[in-house]
Amino acid sequence: MLCISVAPVSRSLAKADLLNAANQCDLVEFCIDHFIKEPDVGDLVKGISKPILIACRRAQDGGKFEGTDEERMLLLRQAIVASPEYIELDLEAAAKVPRFGKTKRLIDVTSLSGPPDDLDAIFEEAAKVQADGIKFSWPTPTFEAAWPLIKLLSKKGALGVVGLGIGKASVTVTLVGKMLEAPWSYAALEKGLESVPGQPTVSELKETYAWDEIGPRTRFVGLVGPIERQTAIIARVLNAAFRQTDDRHRCLPLPIHSFDHLLSRVEGLKIQCLLVAPNFAVDAAKSASKREGSAEPSGYADLLLHQPDGWTAYNTLWRRALAAAEERLGKKSSDEHSLARRNVLIVGSGGMAPALIYGVQKNSGIVSITGPDEKAAQQLAQKFNVRHVPFHSLYDTLADVVVIADAAIKMGHQKTEINAGYFRSTMLVMDLCAMPYDTELLAEVRSRGCKVVEPGDAFRGWMAAQFESICGKKFPTQVLDEVMASSP
């Protein structure tokens, strides 16, 4: 089930929010602790077609209630008289508020400092106060922080367990909860109405992460890296392609802190495919049991597949990105790469830099590398035996092709930034750091008359390579255009 959290501050807004939420979910969580004035719960929930869960949380539990404990107990007792399907109670309140009518009791265990210590004792206490279910909630800025909560969702026992993550990995907890058949998962009605930071909206769950299609047979594809605009478009494109080809894979964002323990944890969720963001691609290559093709010499892996003998790393980006660049340059001849003998400057020492240095060398280009992190740039230059250009000497260096390979590179006039005045109309510029979207730098470069490799062209090829590697089916190319046309 999907539970939409509604936390209005006034009676005038409450009814509209409740009705709107009821049209999009299976259970409505009505958080009455946000009200400026005491609400008439019975009147507000009258006529709402979906079951109601009433919650009134203290500040220490992540709520907004600022009254006395006695006032909160009175508000909860009055709310129960309205006969909601569930009443949420912390263990302290549950001991003071008796069972009434058919209303079920959901015990809320919120720990803003992280997972509570003695879980067995908490379950025992919940049983003593006649709990019908138990909800755990704590900060989940990363997948690592969310992992203990995910393990609780898989716990089968007398009490149903639901989870509410607080922070970036909240969407991960929500989607895994659906796959594990938790009693319900939480969503916000819309942006700005979240009951906790990081809570996904109902439209985000349904349109980006295919909420309605997730179940016990779903095979998740982990999107490893920060949750951002690019993560959302990758999920939308791949989920649409999976849907169109009748494939049961769906995307799961995994905002990790590090690669430590990641592979064993995702195996526990039966995840066999990981798409890896550039800032973790070197760690991904190191963590794999085997590196296929260019993943070995480049030390960069944007795709990990679980095989019978362990995880295998693949580098799929460079070939598709450079194919888009060569198409823009135009073929020299049928047997020679367009990049052959051209001066290619790689800007940045992190992100995609290793993959693209390897690829340009493979295509016979003459590679130079520069970046504000001089030490890292020198190390990459030594590894691939290419020329290192000190970042302060960048403006004295001409190139045929300039590749922005690291999202840390920003446009500006500071010592560690790149000035758009460097770019000439004779250059071909490729910036893949936000594909399929433009970066601020690429937009400025285009306005200066430079040739550019359109990020959407490289993205199309990259998505096709990822999709075909994951499920062995031909990528439905029209999907990307359809998704881009409907995306904000």
Side-chain angles (χ1 to χ4, degrees):
M1 291 200 305
L2 183 61
C3 177
I4 292 183
S5 302
V6 173
V9 297
S10 69
R11 299 179 189 183
S12 60
L13 296 173
K15 197 72 172 183
D17 286 349
L18 288 168
L19 287 168
N20 195 0
N23 290 330
Q24 303 180 66
C25 68
D26 309 292
L27 175 68
V28 181
E29 180 189 57
F30 185 14
C31 302
I32 61 177
D33 49 288
H34 289 242
F35 273 86
I36 297 172
K37 296 181 179 180
E38 184 176 311
D40 183 343
V41 175
D43 179 62
L44 291 172
V45 302
K46 190 180 299 181
I48 304 301
S49 60
K50 296 295 173 63
I52 300 290
L53 160 63
I54 301 293
C56 185
R57 302 185 188 113
R58 304 166 295 185
Q60 67 197 66
D61 298 322
K64 298 290 185 180
F65 189 79
E66 297 178 349
T68 66
D69 189 54
E70 289 75 17
E71 289 170 335
R72 191 168 72 98
M73 294 304 105
L74 178 61
L75 200 54
L76 287 168
R77 291 188 183 99
Q78 291 174 343
I80 294 176
V81 174
S83 299
E85 184 77 9
Y86 286 92
I87 187 80
E88 182 185 286
L89 303 166
D90 54 81
L91 285 170
E92 184 180 340
K96 300 175 182 178
V97 178
R99 179 179 287 276
F100 182 86
K102 296 181 180 179
T103 297
K104 298 174 185 176
R105 294 156 68 86
L106 177 70
I107 299 303
D108 170 45
V109 180
T110 297
S111 175
L112 298 182
S113 60
D117 294 327
D118 196 342
L119 292 173
D120 289 337
I122 290 173
F123 276 96
E124 290 175 7
E125 287 297 315
K128 288 178 183 178
V129 294
Q130 299 178 297
D132 297 291
I134 187 165
K135 183 195 81 176
F136 289 94
S137 181
W138 60 71
T140 54
T142 63
F143 177 62
E144 291 91 339
W147 180 244
L149 187 52
I150 289 171
K151 289 199 295 183
L152 278 172
L153 293 179
S154 65
K155 185 180 179 70
K156 303 301 179 184
L159 288 180
V161 177
V162 295
L164 176 61
I166 304 172
K168 291 286 189 181
S170 179
V171 64
T172 310
V173 173
T174 300
L175 296 173
V176 172
K178 178 75 182 299
M179 187 268 286
L180 293 174
E181 297 184 292
W184 62 80
S185 296
Y186 291 88
L189 186 58
E190 58 186 65
K191 288 292 185 185
L193 297 181
E194 300 89 346
S195 63
V196 296
Q199 188 175 42
T201 65
V202 61
S203 61
E204 182 182 2
L205 287 179
K206 292 186 175 184
E207 296 170 12
T208 299
Y209 293 110
W211 166 268
D212 293 323
E213 301 158 17
I214 293 173
R217 295 183 67 252
T218 298
R219 299 176 65 182
F220 279 129
V221 174
L223 305 183
V224 179
I227 297 179
E228 52 192 15
R229 191 184 186 198
Q230 190 179 46
T231 310
I233 196 66
I234 290 172
R236 290 187 70 149
V237 168
L238 289 180
N239 282 341
F242 293 141
R243 184 182 306 117
Q244 189 157 320
T245 56
D246 197 27
D247 189 276
R248 58 194 176 103
H249 285 96
R250 294 296 182 270
C251 293
L252 177 72
L254 297 173
I256 66 170
H257 173 69
S258 75
F259 241 82
D260 295 343
H261 310 297
L262 176 65
L263 298 184
S264 61
R265 286 171 176 167
V266 298
E267 286 173 23
L269 295 174
K270 299 182 180 179
I271 294 175
Q272 297 186 323
C273 310
L274 296 176
L275 274 61
V276 184
N279 53 326
F280 288 106
V282 172
D283 291 332
K286 292 177 181 177
S287 300
S289 304
K290 184 168 58 175
R291 287 164 287 280
E292 284 288 340
S294 59
E296 177 62 42
S298 68
Y300 182 101
D302 54 29
L303 175 66
L304 294 182
L305 297 179
H306 190 250
Q307 312 284 10
D309 57 347
W311 289 89
T312 301
Y314 299 87
N315 178 356
T316 68
L317 173 68
W318 73 268
R319 194 181 301 276
R320 303 300 176 129
L322 296 186
E326 296 204 320
E327 183 175 349
R328 190 75 177 86
L329 286 168
K331 283 287 185 181
K332 284 188 172 182
S333 66
S334 59
D335 59 350
E336 187 176 26
H337 288 287
S338 301
L339 288 172
R341 297 187 301 281
R342 293 186 189 269
N343 290 306
V344 180
L345 179 66
I346 307 292
V347 183
S349 51
M352 307 173 189
L356 294 172
I357 293 171
Y358 170 83
V360 173
Q361 285 186 313
K362 188 78 173 175
N363 287 11
S364 305
I366 302 168
V367 183
S368 300
I369 180 172
T370 189
D373 186 337
E374 296 286 1
K375 182 177 180 181
Q378 287 174 346
Q379 289 174 342
L380 272 183
Q382 291 171 0
K383 175 179 178 179
F384 291 98
N385 193 27
V386 299
R387 177 191 176 206
H388 170 250
V389 176
F391 198 62
H392 63 82
S393 300
L394 167 66
Y395 302 98
D396 300 321
T397 305
L398 296 179
D400 302 311
V401 180
V402 180
V403 181
I404 310 300
D406 187 342
I409 301 297
K410 303 297 181 185
M411 181 176 68
H413 302 282
Q414 301 300 316
K415 185 177 180 180
T416 59
E417 297 172 333
I418 187 168
N419 191 319
Y422 166 71
F423 297 94
R424 306 286 188 273
S425 60
T426 56
M427 296 175 175
L428 176 69
V429 182
M430 180 164 66
D431 185 347
L432 307 176
C433 296
M435 62 178 175
Y437 307 108
D438 274 7
T439 60
E440 181 185 11
L441 175 61
L442 192 62
E444 176 65 22
V445 165
R446 184 184 285 107
S447 73
R448 290 172 176 266
C450 295
K451 292 181 180 179
V452 302
V453 178
E454 294 300 333
D457 294 339
F459 185 75
R460 183 187 305 275
W462 186 47
M463 285 294 94
Q466 299 278 25
F467 178 84
E468 291 162 12
S469 297
I470 291 166
C471 58
K473 301 175 183 178
K474 184 173 177 58
F475 180 67
T477 54
Q478 75 280 6
V479 158
L480 180 60
D481 296 327
E482 292 168 359
V483 170
M484 290 297 294
S486 62
S487 296

